[in-house]
Amino acid sequence: MDATIVTLPGDGIGPEVVAEGVRALEAVAARFGHRFDIRPALLGGCAIDATGSPLPDETLQLARDADAVLLGAVGGPRWDRPDATVRPEQGILGIRKALGLFANLRPVSIHPRLIDAAPLRPERLIGVDLLVVRELTGGIYFGERRREQLPDGGERAVDECVYTTDEIVRIVRVAAAAARTRRGRVVSVDKANVLETSRLWRRVSSRVMADEFPDVRFEHMLVDSCAMHLLRRPADFDVIVTENMFGDILTDEAAMLAGSLGMLPSASLGTLHSSAGRPVGLYEPIHGSAPDIAGQGIANPMATALSVALLLRMSLGLAAEAAAVEAAVWAALDAGIVTADVAAPGAAPATTGVVGRAIAAHIAG
Ligand code: IPM
Ligand code: MG
């Protein structure tokens, strides 16, 4: 097949891991006879430096016209001044919103080799296989923000959290449909004992589940309790659906179940479809730009490679190709070709490039 894939390497370790993602894509193209037109574009801090904007119009246009987008990470101390009015993160939030990518899927499972890399006791980790469905274009991330001077010389800052019925309905549907292909269970996470948005979330999600998904087992959980149960009994979870900020926080926590933040991919899907009728998605590792290790060649490219697998499966409909990439990542893990974040104690870690080349070589067969 012919497909156009826009890459947004971004900042920090983003370019290093995306380079390995592209290497995996090229290996897939060669092995399976596809033609991927890979077009890099600017997003985040590098885009601010080059154009003044964290999300240049050209990047957005390229992404809109693509079949899928592969993102690295954005941000870093260079652009982090508290008084800055343009910030790299506006690029990532802006592209999610502009492309209508309201559903962020973050699967978490643990490869047996990584059980020792995870901080939890091994017996807690057996059977962990969950999917967090994070609402991505609403909530406090996109509410009104303002800062006011107070007469006493202090300041007042406001971040508004907003959700509408429709926003809740569509994300709950994504989660419930996913549960039907998995173990048939959804936990909806909110803070309904405090927040009005959560009370609406609870009512709407209950109705959607009862009316449309009576076959899916459904329960509500408060976010603080969920944070605790994720550590106490992670294997009990199948699909978790939650609002934007709770999903951000819980997925960093859940990443620790997988041994490292460097292992977790994500897919963001929405309403945009390609001319072939497939969902245009944005795929990215859930880790950040990790400026402290940028440029050292030690970042783990596996989350990006696994994001490439999601891209192939969900936006291009290439299931065998996706499975080949995943198998290549597991093979590199089995062979102990891993970066420092997941290396066994005392074992020599491999560089980003060595891991990426091992993955590509395995894809090539
Ligand atoms: C994530 C990140 C982003 C978010 C940041 C970079 C804005 O933490 O994708 O989880 O909070 O959504
Ligand atoms: Mg995050």
Side-chain angles (χ1 to χ4, degrees), residues 50-342:
T51 72
S53 162
L55 174 57
D57 292 344
E58 193 194 333
T59 297
L60 191 53
Q61 200 48 52
L62 276 170
R64 281 210 172 97
D65 294 340
D67 294 292
V69 180
L70 179 67
L71 171 70
V74 302
R78 269 184 62 197
W79 305 280
D80 246 0
R81 290 183 321 275
D83 58 337
T85 50
V86 235
R87 306 174 57 88
E89 291 76 12
Q90 291 162 346
I92 199 166
L93 299 186
I95 197 168
R96 288 170 178 170
K97 190 75 169 180
L99 298 182
L101 303 170
F102 68 86
N104 180 223
L105 314 184
R106 298 187 164 184
V108 181
S109 59
I110 180 153
H111 185 278
R113 237 200 75 96
L114 294 182
I115 286 198
D116 290 332
L120 249 61
R121 286 208 299 276
E123 65 271 20
R124 296 258 158 110
L125 293 169
I126 294 161
V128 167
D129 178 13
L130 61 92
L131 172 69
V132 180
V133 178
R134 169 187 175 195
E135 201 292 324
L136 203 59
T137 52
I140 200 163
Y141 273 59
F142 291 94
E144 202 187 301
R145 291 185 213 302
R146 57 178 189 280
R147 192 92 74 91
E148 293 153 11
Q149 290 292 336
L150 293 177
D152 68 0
E155 285 180 280
R156 183 169 179 267
V158 180
D159 291 287
E160 212 172 36
C161 183
V162 183
Y163 269 107
T164 65
T165 306
D166 288 351
E167 286 174 318
I168 302 166
V169 168
R170 65 185 184 178
I171 193 73
V172 169
R173 283 186 179 143
V174 170
R180 277 187 175 152
T181 70
R182 300 170 48 95
R183 304 201 305 279
R185 287 156 57 173
V186 174
V187 173
S188 171
V189 175
D190 61 38
K191 187 73 184 172
N193 51 349
V194 177
L195 302 177
E196 199 55 34
T197 42
S198 284
R199 288 193 272 269
L200 181 66
W201 185 283
R202 203 168 263 228
R203 188 153 51 87
V204 172
S205 58
S206 293
R207 177 169 55 72
V208 172
M209 295 305 294
D211 291 354
E212 301 176 29
F213 302 92
D215 52 310
V216 174
R217 221 172 93 196
F218 182 60
E219 75 182 278
H220 299 284
M221 198 177 276
L222 295 173
V223 62
D224 46 352
S225 170
C226 180
M228 184 262 294
H229 286 300
L230 269 175
L231 301 183
R232 204 171 71 92
R233 46 180 188 91
D236 286 356
F237 289 94
D238 181 17
V239 175
I240 293 175
V241 63
T242 191
E243 64 97 52
N244 205 343
M245 188 158 75
F246 297 159
D248 177 46
I249 298 168
L250 291 177
T251 50
D252 265 32
E253 183 190 6
M256 285 296 96
L257 306 171
S260 165
L261 211 45
M263 291 303 302
L264 284 201
S266 84
S268 301
L269 302 171
T271 43
L272 190 65
H273 285 71
S274 67
S275 46
R278 295 192 183 284
V280 175
L282 183 146
Y283 300 84
E284 55 175 313
I286 84 153
H287 62 69
S289 57
D292 52 321
I293 61 161
Q296 299 176 33
I298 61 172
N300 187 347
M302 287 182 169
T304 305
L306 294 170
S307 299
V308 163
L310 294 178
L311 180 158
L312 292 165
R313 183 178 293 122
M314 305 182 91
S315 280
L316 305 187
L318 300 175
E321 289 80 344
V325 173
E326 283 160 354
V329 172
W330 309 144
L333 274 173
D334 286 336
I337 306 173
V338 294
T339 45
D341 53 322
V342 288

